[in-house]
Amino acid sequence: MKKVVSPEYLTCPIRQVISRFGDKWSLLVLYALDKSDRGVMRFNELHAHMSDCSQKMLSKTLKELHVSHLVDRKVYPEVPPRVEYRLTDVGKSLIPAIDPLIGWAKEHFDEVVKP
C-alpha cells in the first residue's frame, strides 16, 4: 500500500527546511565552519572537531548541506585532490538563528542531560 503525502507536508517550511540542517551533525558542521578562523575548512579539519562522527557520516552530512545550498564545496585540481568547505551566503544567514539555540544548550546543558 502506497503512502500518500499531503500537500501541506511538501510546502511546510518547518519540515522541509529545518530537516535539512536539524539533524545531529549538520548543526555542528555549520557551527564549526562559522567559527573557523579562515571561514574555510578541509574535511580532516572538520573531522578533528567532530571526532565522534564517522568519516562516512561527515561526508554524507557535507553532501546534504551542499545540496541544500548551506555549504559550498570547492575542489582544487591537485594530486591528491584538495577539497575545502565554507558557508554559503544562505548558510551564513542561518548562523544568527542558530547562535541563540547554542547559547540555550550551553545554559541548560546540565538540566537537559541529567539522568
Side-chain angles (χ1 to χ4, degrees):
M1 184 171 169
K2 189 173 182 180
K3 189 174 182 177
V4 177
V5 178
S6 73
E8 293 84 18
Y9 174 82
L10 298 174
T11 59
C12 176
I14 295 170
R15 289 185 177 111
Q16 295 299 317
V17 174
I18 294 177
S19 69
R20 304 290 180 110
F21 61 84
D23 62 276
K24 182 176 182 178
W25 302 113
S26 292
L27 286 173
L28 294 173
V29 168
L30 295 170
Y31 182 75
L33 288 172
D34 180 59
K35 298 305 178 205
S36 167
D37 292 337
R38 299 176 298 128
V40 174
M41 295 180 85
R42 294 179 68 180
F43 184 89
N44 286 335
E45 289 176 283
L46 279 165
H47 192 250
H49 283 280
M50 305 166 50
S51 59
D52 53 336
C53 180
S54 71
Q55 289 186 349
K56 181 178 177 180
M57 182 54 71
L58 180 56
S59 178
K60 178 180 184 276
T61 300
L62 286 164
K63 286 176 186 169
E64 289 172 357
L65 290 170
H66 179 68
V67 168
S68 298
H69 310 286
L70 297 171
V71 169
D72 185 41
R73 179 180 189 267
K74 184 172 183 180
V75 180
Y76 293 88
E78 301 172 354
V79 178
R82 178 170 50 114
V83 181
E84 293 181 339
Y85 299 91
R86 72 180 74 232
L87 293 175
T88 63
D89 288 342
V90 175
K92 289 176 187 174
S93 73
L94 178 59
I95 298 303
I98 293 173
D99 280 338
L101 177 60
I102 292 167
W104 182 91
K106 289 177 180 177
E107 182 179 338
H108 296 283
F109 177 80
D110 291 334
E111 297 163 88
V112 172
V113 300
K114 78 177 170 186

